[in-house]
Amino acid sequence: MLDTAEVERVDVAAVNSPRVRQPLYAKRKKIFPKRAEGQFRRFKWIVMLITLGIYYLTPWIRWDRGPFAPDQAVLVDLANRRFYFFFVEIWPQEFYFVAGLLVMAGFGLFLVTSSVGRAWCGYTCPQTVWVDLFLVVERSVEGDRNARIKLDEGPWSLRKLRLRILKHSIWIVIAVATGGAWVFYFADAPTLFVDIFTGRAAPVAYITVAILTATTYTFGGLMREQVCTYMCPWPRIQAAMLDEHSLTVTYNDWRGEPRSRHTKKAIAAGQPVGDCVDCNACVAVCPMGIDIRDGQQLECITCALCIDACDGVMEKLGLDRGLISYATLYDYEQNMALATAGGTQAITPSLVRDGDRQFLPKVAHFHLSKIFRLRTLIYFAAWSLVGILLVYGLLTRDRLQVNVLHDRNPQFVTLSDGSIRNGYTVKLLNMIPEPRTIIVTLQGLKGAEMTMVGLDQPEDRSFAVNVEPDRLKTLKVYVRQPADLVVGQSQTFNFVVEDKSSFESDTYTATFEAPGKTR
């Protein structure tokens, strides 16, 4: 067990320290985060590997849809206006499914934020993930915090030039891979990969890769925390999602104050001493360069690396972990009231600990049950409802549709035998990747029969039409009704289309126009 005087103190200051007033416009202060070790850092490694794996590998996953459809599992086929996601195929008119997913993502973000603060920002936001990846490269090439600071402040030399060129070259490779992975979602990945490297890809592919390469390199390597602080709107919105029972990364000053770097001397002198030894480890590991001990801040992405750093120091000192922890405002205020005797005096460590330096039973601690409250249950219910509706819609949607347009000029034609003929444009939509034989039937309109242009068959009330996979087939149809059966100037009837093999059908109600009663 170490004495407080033996704990390494990191010479670092928060970039937004309230003790030093910053001008409104100031040059960026470089941040050199120290590598953290602990459960939250391990969790971030896992999340980073999963999210990057999904992003880079998904376009290469194959999914057999038969010979008439692409075999890429996830594909945005702009040329044919399709979106494929494994066994789901979305047509343009079904974009409400994508809108539903966006609504689910919104409710999910509200649910996560109201429960555990900015967990999205700290673990799964693309900016956070790619900055983490770029920092891995930077540490591997230039060393940890102190080595990077020394290199940055030192004069240019052959070694410094070599390390900087290596680091930025790797960053550019990652950025190019990021842009390349993105375009693979919009075309067959293996084919496009070959086309890009052989110069046969469309210009838009190269332009997209170039733009995403530039933005990834700039945001992930150069701007880093500035994107979160100045460009992202979420830090300014999140306050509306939080309440006093939301978990956030918190410095528990009710047990940390008063700070002291010489605990034994302070205790011998009869001075109250908190657990914080002012080592600045929490500031050194923060990728945003802030000091969590200054309280909740717009810049904090709740990545919890400061928790890992502080817990490591507490373990070395033989003290309880959790000086910095995920805590709710309600619990924090309860403990602060206990440590200050209801706000009547300064923080007194003896009010929260017994003679053996164990926390008193009155000290509030977080329990998982506190997450389940009315607000989070409402968000979860809304999220689940949208999800259930989407699944229901997917399971019950029609894969066969018919649409009919009546000829506008002329609306009807009187034939030589007195019968009345109307013209229609019938559109059959086959929404599966298999050829189908569709039966088109005339329903209603007594005595009427139809003919199809291009189909060498006599008039009838029903025809079989072959439709290609995932295609729209347009038919020109004429409907004729004998003069003695015409009733009124306008009659309604149905075009019924049916696939006998799948028992799918659709109906369109059309209008038959005539000059009026003939008898």
Side-chain angles (χ1 to χ4, degrees):
M1 185 185 304
L2 296 179
D3 182 76
T4 55
E6 298 177 288
V7 175
E8 177 189 4
R9 185 177 185 274
V10 184
D11 184 15
V12 60
V15 295
N16 64 345
S17 175
R19 294 182 290 274
V20 181
R21 181 175 293 277
Q22 300 289 335
L24 184 60
Y25 299 100
K27 183 180 179 180
R28 173 183 179 249
K29 294 183 178 180
K30 291 184 179 180
I31 298 172
F32 301 90
K34 185 179 180 180
R35 177 170 179 172
E37 295 181 0
Q39 58 180 345
F40 292 106
R41 178 63 268 182
R42 287 191 293 272
F43 181 66
K44 281 174 67 66
W45 288 134
I46 294 171
V47 172
M48 185 178 78
L49 290 173
I50 292 174
T51 52
L52 290 176
I54 291 173
Y55 177 75
Y56 286 118
L57 298 179
T58 296
W60 301 92
I61 300 175
R62 302 293 98 182
W63 188 268
D64 185 16
R65 299 185 181 91
F68 303 102
D71 64 348
Q72 188 161 308
V74 179
L75 176 65
V76 181
D77 188 356
L78 295 179
N80 296 302
R81 294 180 294 177
R82 306 282 191 280
F83 171 50
Y84 297 96
F85 186 81
F86 293 92
F87 61 88
V88 178
E89 179 183 355
I90 303 296
W91 286 62
Q93 65 269 28
E94 296 177 314
F95 195 78
Y96 54 84
F97 285 112
V98 178
L101 289 176
L102 294 177
V103 172
M104 283 191 70
F107 279 122
L109 189 57
F110 297 160
L111 173 62
V112 170
T113 303
S114 63
S115 301
V116 291
R118 288 173 63 184
W120 160 260
C121 300
Y123 299 98
T124 54
C125 173
Q127 176 67 16
T128 298
V129 172
W130 262 268
V131 167
D132 261 0
L133 180 59
F134 277 46
L135 282 174
V136 169
V137 174
E138 185 172 277
R139 290 193 190 100
S140 300
V141 174
E142 298 181 354
D144 206 359
R145 183 176 185 274
N146 291 338
R148 300 204 306 277
I149 293 176
K150 183 178 179 180
L151 182 68
D152 186 71
E153 295 178 348
W156 281 96
S157 63
L158 184 61
R159 177 179 179 273
K160 182 175 181 177
L161 181 63
R162 176 174 57 82
L163 292 179
R164 288 293 167 87
I165 291 176
L166 177 60
K167 179 182 73 173
H168 286 274
S169 298
I170 298 174
W171 281 0
I172 291 174
V173 170
I174 294 173
V176 171
T178 301
W182 178 259
V183 298
F184 292 152
Y185 283 90
F186 296 86
D188 182 64
T191 303
L192 182 57
F193 180 81
V194 174
D195 289 346
I196 286 177
F197 282 94
T198 56
R200 294 180 297 177
V204 67
Y206 295 105
I207 293 172
T208 303
V209 172
I211 292 174
L212 291 177
T213 297
T215 53
T216 303
Y217 173 77
T218 302
F219 292 165
L222 304 181
M223 295 184 65
R224 294 183 180 175
E225 77 287 343
Q226 290 185 306
V227 174
C228 305
T229 302
Y230 300 112
M231 297 176 64
C232 180
W234 187 240
R236 293 151 183 84
I237 300 172
Q238 63 157 343
M241 301 293 105
L242 299 175
D243 57 32
E244 65 273 16
H245 297 290
S246 301
L247 279 175
T248 57
V249 174
T250 305
Y251 168 60
N252 297 304
D253 49 0
W254 52 269
R255 62 166 281 196
E257 302 295 326
R259 306 176 196 175
S260 176
R261 302 175 192 171
H262 306 284
T263 302
K264 289 184 177 180
K265 292 181 180 179
I267 293 176
Q271 298 174 354
V273 177
D275 288 346
C276 181
V277 296
D278 204 17
C279 63
N280 289 334
C282 54
V283 183
V285 300
C286 180
M288 301 299 293
I290 65 173
D291 189 342
I292 192 62
R293 294 172 296 180
D294 292 332
Q296 290 297 314
Q297 299 154 71
L298 175 145
E299 295 88 351
C300 180
I301 60 173
T302 66
C303 63
L305 295 182
C306 54
I307 297 179
D308 283 339
C310 187
D311 282 348
V313 174
M314 291 296 104
E315 286 182 353
K316 292 177 181 178
L317 296 174
L319 298 175
D320 293 322
R321 297 158 62 100
L323 176 57
I324 302 175
S325 66
Y326 272 103
T328 67
L329 178 62
Y330 179 81
D331 289 343
Y332 170 82
E333 290 181 340
Q334 291 287 102
N335 293 333
M336 182 60 77
L338 182 62
T340 59
T344 60
Q345 61 186 62
I347 296 175
T348 306
S350 61
L351 294 178
V352 295
R353 295 183 185 273
D354 57 22
D356 297 326
R357 293 187 61 80
Q358 299 298 314
F359 289 118
L360 297 174
K362 295 181 181 179
V363 174
H365 297 283
F366 172 74
H367 298 287
L368 189 62
S369 59
K370 295 181 180 180
I371 291 180
F372 302 100
R373 57 191 191 278
L374 181 60
R375 183 172 191 164
T376 57
L377 292 176
I378 290 175
Y379 285 144
F380 181 74
W383 180 83
S384 301
L385 177 61
V386 175
I388 291 171
L389 291 176
L390 287 178
V391 171
Y392 176 79
L394 283 172
L395 295 177
T396 60
R397 62 180 179 161
D398 294 325
R399 301 285 79 198
L400 173 64
Q401 293 184 5
V402 59
N403 189 38
V404 180
L405 297 175
H406 193 291
D407 287 355
R408 299 181 63 183
N409 188 24
Q411 288 189 321
F412 61 88
V413 173
T414 302
L415 301 179
S416 58
D417 62 355
S419 60
I420 307 299
R421 189 183 73 183
N422 282 204
Y424 303 87
T425 300
V426 178
K427 297 182 178 182
L428 303 179
L429 185 58
N430 176 19
M431 301 173 71
I432 64 172
E434 297 176 5
R436 305 170 94 172
T437 299
I438 307 300
I439 307 301
V440 183
T441 304
L442 196 65
Q443 188 180 76
L445 201 62
K446 184 178 180 181
E449 293 182 325
M450 61 180 174
T451 57
M452 291 188 179
V453 177
L455 194 64
D456 189 18
Q457 292 187 22
E459 287 185 323
D460 202 344
R461 291 183 64 86
S462 182
F463 290 98
V465 180
N466 294 322
V467 183
E468 295 179 353
D470 274 334
R471 287 292 182 269
L472 173 71
K473 182 154 189 172
T474 301
L475 305 170
K476 187 62 182 179
V477 177
Y478 291 103
V479 177
R480 182 186 64 83
Q481 186 178 35
D484 58 342
L485 298 178
V486 174
V487 181
Q489 291 185 330
S490 182
Q491 305 173 70
T492 60
F493 67 99
N494 294 326
F495 281 104
V496 179
V497 296
E498 185 179 9
D499 180 2
K500 297 292 186 181
S501 62
S502 65
F503 303 103
E504 287 185 271
S505 64
D506 194 21
T507 301
Y508 189 94
T509 301
T511 302
F512 187 85
E513 304 290 346
K517 284 189 176 182
T518 59
R519 60 176 183 175

